[in-house]
C-alpha cells in the first residue's frame, strides 16, 4: 500500500508542476477559463485520491497496532 501512496504522491506533485505552468498561460491569455478551471478540478481530484490512500493506510496500520479498535462492521 505504500507503493500506491508514493505513486499517488508523485502524480499529485507532477500535476502541481503542470498547474503552475498552466496558470502562467492562463494569466497571459493563452488558455480559456474553462480549461484552467478543468485542470484545477483535476488537480483537486488527485489530491483527494492521495489523501484517501494515506487515510486507508493509517486506518489499516492502526488496526494492526491496536486490534481492539476494530469494530465488527469494518470488514
Amino acid at each position: 500500500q505504500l507503493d500506491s501512496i508514493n505513486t499517488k504522491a508523485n502524480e499529485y506533485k507532477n500535476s502541481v508542476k503542470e498547474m503552475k505552468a498552466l496558470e502562467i498561460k492562463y494569466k497571459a491569455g493563452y488558455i480559456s477559463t474553462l480549461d484552467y478551471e478543468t485542470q484545477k478540478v483535476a488537480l483537486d481530484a488527485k489530491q483527494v485520491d492521495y489523501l484517501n490512500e494515506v487515510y486507508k493506510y493509517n486506518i489499516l496500520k492502526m488496526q494492526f497496532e491496536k486490534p481492539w479498535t476494530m469494530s465488527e462492521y469494518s470488514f
Side-chain angles (χ1 to χ4, degrees):
Q1 197 166 12
L2 289 175
D3 291 336
S4 177
I5 291 173
N6 290 333
T7 302
K8 298 284 183 182
N10 289 334
E11 287 176 5
Y12 177 68
K13 288 177 187 176
N14 288 337
S15 293
V16 168
K17 289 178 186 177
E18 291 173 8
M19 191 65 191
K20 287 179 183 178
L22 200 64
E23 186 174 351
I24 292 170
K25 290 179 184 178
Y26 173 69
K27 288 181 179 178
Y30 291 117
I31 61 169
S32 68
T33 303
L34 180 63
D35 292 336
Y36 178 72
E37 292 296 325
T38 302
Q39 286 301 109
K40 277 179 68 174
V41 169
L43 178 65
D44 290 342
K46 286 186 181 188
Q47 183 181 20
V48 168
D49 287 343
Y50 167 67
L51 293 175
N52 188 29
E53 287 295 321
V54 171
Y55 175 76
K56 289 192 300 188
Y57 172 77
N58 286 333
I59 292 295
L60 187 62
K61 180 180 170 186
M62 182 182 67
Q63 288 175 347
F64 278 116
E65 291 175 353
K66 301 175 184 176
W68 59 88
T69 61
M70 286 178 45
S71 71
E72 62 187 58
Y73 302 110
S74 66
F75 291 66

